Amino acid sequence: MYQDMPDWQLNNRLMHLMYGNESLSQEVVGTEDALDNITAETLTTAYNHYYYSKKYEINCCWRFRL
């Protein structure tokens, strides 16, 4: 996995030093124990709760000549 990559370890350590126990310093992937306990039901529940069209917003920016 990524845990044996020095640049990833450096980034994680820096984020922890800068942000302490804030959410920005926590790994996105989660712990090995958390990953081992994920089930199809857990993934389906999370998907249905967080990923649906009413939560999406599309913004486009472009330079237009008038």
Side-chain angles (χ1 to χ4, degrees):
M1 259 220 275
Y2 62 88
Q3 292 176 337
D4 60 351
M5 299 171 63
D7 56 333
W8 191 269
Q9 289 293 333
L10 176 62
N11 181 61
N12 284 345
R13 184 68 180 138
L14 286 173
M15 294 297 278
H16 184 70
L17 289 172
M18 288 190 300
Y19 298 107
N21 290 326
E22 298 295 324
S23 60
L24 284 172
S25 71
Q26 297 173 7
E27 290 192 45
V28 176
V29 176
T31 64
E32 286 187 47
D33 289 335
L35 293 175
D36 286 340
N37 292 319
I38 290 178
T39 63
E41 181 181 356
T42 304
L43 292 175
T44 302
T45 301
Y47 179 83
N48 290 334
H49 182 74
Y50 293 107
Y51 299 98
Y52 59 92
S53 62
K54 288 182 181 179
K55 291 196 106 163
Y56 290 113
E57 181 176 315
I58 298 175
N59 296 295
C60 298
C61 298
W62 199 260
R63 192 177 346 174
F64 293 100
R65 290 186 180 179
L66 298 175

